Amino acid sequence: MNINIDAIKKQTYDAIVVGSGISGGWAAKELTEKGLNVAVLERGREIKHVTGYETATKDPWDFAHRGRPDNMAAEQYWAGMRTGYTANEEHRYLFENDKENPYIEKRGGFDWLRAYHTGGKSLLWGRQSYRWNEEDFMANAKEGIGIDWPIRYKDLESWYTYVEKFAGISGQKEGLDVLPDSHFLPPMAMSAPEVHLKNAVKSKMGRPITIGRTAHLTQPAAHHTAIGRGQCQFRDKCMRGCPYGGYFSSLSATLPAAAKTKRLTMIHNAIVSEIIFDEKTQKAKGVRVIDQITKAVTEYYAKIIFLNAGAIGSTAIMMQSKSNRFPNGMGNQSDQLGRNIMDHHLGVGASATVEGFEDDFVYGRRPSGLYIPRFRNWGRDKREYVRGFGYQGGAGRGSWGRGTNMDGFGADFKAEMTQLGGWNIGFTGFGEILPNPENRFTLSPDKKDKWGLPVLEFEAEFGSNELNMRKDMANDMAEMLEAAGFKNVTTYNSTTTHIGLGIHEMGTARMGNDPKTSVLNKNNQVHEVKNVFMTDGACMTSASCVNPSLTYMALTARAADFAVSELKKKNL
């Protein structure tokens, strides 16, 4: 009996954080820095900062297939193949094998890209970091779509500033209501054709274009270097992992900060199968974990639990957490668990060739592009659809790689490839997807994975609002390129794009004011289990059209502050 008590003590913490990605890293940092002993449960393997980035310094010729996916990847990374890049040799080691981690598409299609290791997708994200605007938090209520957010921009404004200072966001202040300014590090430079586009579109169409707001250290501060981060090297090999810590990730920033407190315990290969609910206290008392390698089952205990396993992973854990109180999954009185899957719809935009600017060059390989903020359904503009979209893209010159698609051989051809080619420019749209309860996932009633957990079944597809929006997303970009005088303007609008391609999965356990229509309250607490918090993409009540990670960071820091305050008051 004493042995069991000792074992329980060793497996008991003040807080448990499930997942070590963008939001999980922030939860670990905030909770440890506020004095709590925290266990971070990561379902995947351990990757160490710097030494764990297997391909970070490899050259093209170091890859057996020069970076391209091979036959194995085409078969086993089938969802990754649909993205056009995640199954490539350079960074495939950081994504999961879809054959070994199956899921089922029952209706439509869903691209579920996963990264089970220390840092999760914070090693792989596009680093684009934008604040939501005031209208983003009010649109649902104004338009009668979904449910109202229980918070507003002012509730997050100071937390945006807080996380921006720590993460380091490079960008340019523009003073736009549609795209609120952040606390910025110096911006990256635009190329000459990009400046030309910016000026032409502003003067002829009244639309602003800014440099991408990205989580890269262009000018590190003392608190960045204190945890080992260095200045961005403009290598643009970010998705391989950055040994310089030039971009923000859990592995380079929040987890080292948490480790400095000596109150962090990292536990890898720990697949959380369910949250343990105490019927007497009506609280969660811990989690049940399956070891990824041995399949041994262990329980860990804590006063509070933060679920940060991603919009799909966190909600799947909630669904699997069944008890007498919650026969259909923890906190699922509203029947909203798994519903309202959102993302940003991509695969639509325009490109062109740029004449001239032969004597203009760029420094290094800028790891970001330009951003064109939303202008549709903003101000006096009204369309047949609701919400809107932004664009990301930029200009570049042809390098030696262009030779792979050209005819030619011999010394003259090789000499030509040593010279820069002409300029090209292109942008892709990021459109908002509306919350739709029919876009959902459920637990398979009969199919299990190799750990005995239910395989997930997805039903997700675009609605008429998204499809109507895509027409403008292609045509509007073409008009802007033509306004700049660029040539050979071509639009594209893929008909095979799925929800999930943006890797911005959101929804599935939305925040709201009413427990009958939502899972979480304004503080990211599960309505019916107040010591369980969800601050990743699962909590989102709508999607905006800007990248969501900065908002996850702010929500997590805010919720952690609230959780510690409530613990001190003995309310949890």
Side-chain angles (χ1 to χ4, degrees):
M1 185 67 175
N2 291 333
I3 295 176
N4 290 336
I5 292 174
D6 290 341
I8 290 173
K9 285 182 179 179
K10 289 180 180 179
Q11 290 154 208
T12 299
Y13 302 85
D14 296 323
I16 288 171
V17 177
V18 181
S20 63
I22 285 278
S23 62
W26 269 102
K29 171 187 176 296
E30 294 303 299
L31 295 172
T32 55
E33 289 182 344
K34 294 179 188 300
L36 273 58
N37 290 311
V38 177
V40 173
L41 304 178
E42 168 54 54
R43 69 168 289 158
R45 70 192 189 280
E46 181 179 13
I47 290 181
K48 293 185 179 296
H49 182 46
V50 182
T51 58
Y53 305 140
E54 299 175 8
T55 63
T57 58
K58 285 188 175 183
D59 291 309
W61 48 87
D62 293 324
F63 297 98
H65 303 92
R66 301 300 185 262
R68 295 182 176 87
D70 55 16
N71 290 338
M72 179 279 295
E75 176 188 353
Q76 299 187 19
Y77 291 75
W78 55 265
M81 288 294 292
R82 297 197 304 215
T83 69
Y85 65 95
T86 62
N88 292 354
E89 282 182 305
E90 297 100 323
H91 36 250
R92 185 168 65 232
Y93 78 100
L94 292 173
F95 287 95
E96 296 312 304
N97 184 309
D98 302 308
K99 186 175 181 179
E100 294 180 1
N101 298 272
Y103 66 95
I104 298 167
E105 297 170 302
K106 291 183 66 177
R107 175 176 58 83
F110 183 73
D111 298 333
W112 189 19
L113 286 305
R114 293 153 288 175
Y116 298 152
H117 47 68
T118 324
K121 285 183 287 188
S122 76
L123 299 183
L124 300 158
W125 68 310
R127 289 96 50 210
Q128 295 295 298
S129 303
Y130 303 97
R131 293 188 182 194
W132 279 34
N133 61 51
E134 292 183 359
E135 289 295 320
D136 286 326
F137 291 97
M138 298 189 292
N140 276 6
K142 287 183 175 182
E143 297 163 357
I145 293 172
I147 62 171
D148 190 13
W149 275 88
I151 60 173
R152 294 292 185 258
Y153 176 79
K154 63 180 176 58
D155 295 309
L156 278 189
E157 186 173 13
S158 64
W159 293 106
Y160 274 132
T161 302
Y162 175 76
V163 299
E164 288 160 355
K165 288 180 178 179
F166 180 81
I169 309 299
S170 165
Q172 176 69 50
K173 289 189 174 182
E174 300 286 358
L176 303 171
D177 290 339
V178 73
L179 195 70
D181 289 325
S182 293
H183 179 89
F184 289 129
L185 299 177
M188 297 180 181
M190 291 186 184
S191 66
E194 291 169 343
V195 172
H196 174 78
L197 174 69
K198 175 183 177 178
N199 293 337
V201 170
K202 181 64 176 178
S203 63
K204 295 180 180 181
M205 308 180 81
R207 298 172 186 167
I209 298 178
T210 190
I211 190 68
R213 299 175 175 181
T214 186
H216 285 253
L217 298 182
T218 52
Q219 186 176 300
H223 65 273
H224 297 129
T225 56
I227 55 174
R229 296 185 64 193
Q231 185 167 336
C232 175
Q233 300 297 301
F234 278 57
R235 300 167 70 239
D236 196 25
K237 299 182 185 297
C238 313
M239 198 174 283
R240 303 182 185 187
C242 181
Y244 306 94
Y247 71 80
F248 173 85
S249 72
S250 298
L251 209 49
S252 68
T254 47
L255 292 178
K260 285 183 69 174
T261 69
K262 307 298 183 183
R263 290 186 284 270
L264 173 69
T265 300
M266 289 292 304
I267 303 172
H268 290 89
N269 299 306
I271 301 174
V272 175
S273 60
E274 63 182 302
I275 299 171
I276 305 169
F277 183 71
D278 189 324
E279 300 280 355
K280 293 182 180 179
T281 64
Q282 294 292 293
K283 294 179 182 179
K285 66 178 183 179
V287 297
R288 191 162 289 120
V289 168
I290 302 171
D291 186 283
Q292 179 182 218
I293 299 171
T294 67
K295 299 183 182 178
V297 176
T298 307
E299 292 180 356
Y300 295 93
Y301 308 96
K303 299 171 186 175
I304 58 174
I305 298 169
F306 269 66
L307 283 182
N308 300 99
I312 308 302
S314 290
T315 298
I317 292 169
M318 292 284 283
M319 289 177 165
Q320 292 159 192
S321 302
K322 298 179 179 180
S323 60
N324 292 331
R325 173 70 176 83
F326 300 112
N328 298 315
M330 179 172 285
N332 200 22
Q333 174 185 336
S334 61
D335 188 36
Q336 290 301 309
L337 282 181
R339 296 187 183 273
N340 304 294
I341 293 175
M342 297 173 287
D343 184 28
H344 293 125
H345 57 105
L346 280 63
V348 55
S351 61
T353 56
V354 180
E355 295 182 348
F357 301 99
E358 290 89 354
D359 296 327
D360 290 292
F361 304 93
V362 295
Y363 167 76
R365 300 182 181 91
R366 187 186 68 199
S368 183
L370 307 189
Y371 189 75
I372 303 176
R374 171 184 168 183
F375 50 84
R376 290 301 182 203
N377 288 319
W378 191 262
R380 296 181 179 179
D381 184 82
K382 302 298 178 186
R383 314 300 289 176
E384 63 179 1
Y385 51 85
V386 297
R387 312 294 167 92
F389 51 87
Y391 293 100
Q392 297 179 33
R397 296 192 73 168
S399 67
W400 62 267
R402 70 188 189 277
T404 58
N405 295 316
M406 295 173 60
D407 293 331
F409 64 93
D412 290 343
F413 179 73
K414 291 179 181 179
E416 181 184 353
M417 291 304 104
T418 65
Q419 304 300 312
L420 288 173
W423 288 90
N424 296 282
I425 191 165
F427 288 81
T428 189
F430 282 65
E432 180 167 355
I433 292 178
L434 297 179
N436 177 354
E438 299 309 311
N439 283 342
R440 64 182 304 194
F441 77 88
T442 54
L443 304 179
S444 173
D446 52 11
K447 293 182 172 59
K448 308 288 184 182
D449 64 18
K450 56 187 174 183
W451 298 282
L453 298 176
V455 170
L456 305 188
E457 300 181 344
F458 289 86
E459 300 176 65
E461 57 190 352
F462 298 139
S464 59
N465 197 73
E466 290 81 33
L467 296 175
N468 288 334
M469 187 187 298
R470 293 175 73 83
K471 300 171 187 176
D472 274 0
M473 292 168 75
N475 295 335
D476 290 355
M477 193 64 242
E479 290 177 358
M480 287 186 276
L481 296 175
E482 289 168 351
F486 298 146
K487 306 299 181 183
N488 303 313
V489 176
T490 304
T491 63
Y492 59 94
N493 183 356
S494 173
T495 58
T496 60
T497 298
H498 298 128
I499 294 176
L501 178 62
I503 320 183
H504 296 163
E505 54 267 30
M506 291 173 271
T508 73
R510 66 188 180 187
M511 295 172 70
N513 293 306
D514 188 348
K516 294 181 180 178
T517 59
S518 60
V519 178
L520 308 172
N521 68 14
K522 65 181 180 180
N523 298 307
N524 293 84
Q525 294 169 286
V526 176
H527 283 298
E528 298 134 311
V529 191
K530 290 294 196 292
N531 66 331
V532 175
F533 294 77
M534 301 176 75
T535 63
D536 56 21
C539 75
M540 305 297 272
T541 311
S542 62
S544 180
C545 67
V546 300
N547 302 55
S549 293
L550 187 66
T551 299
Y552 301 164
M553 298 184 208
L555 285 168
T556 304
R558 176 177 177 268
D561 183 71
F562 174 81
V564 174
S565 174
E566 289 294 284
L567 267 182
K568 291 179 178 178
K569 296 174 184 176
K570 301 187 184 302
N571 290 337
L572 296 180

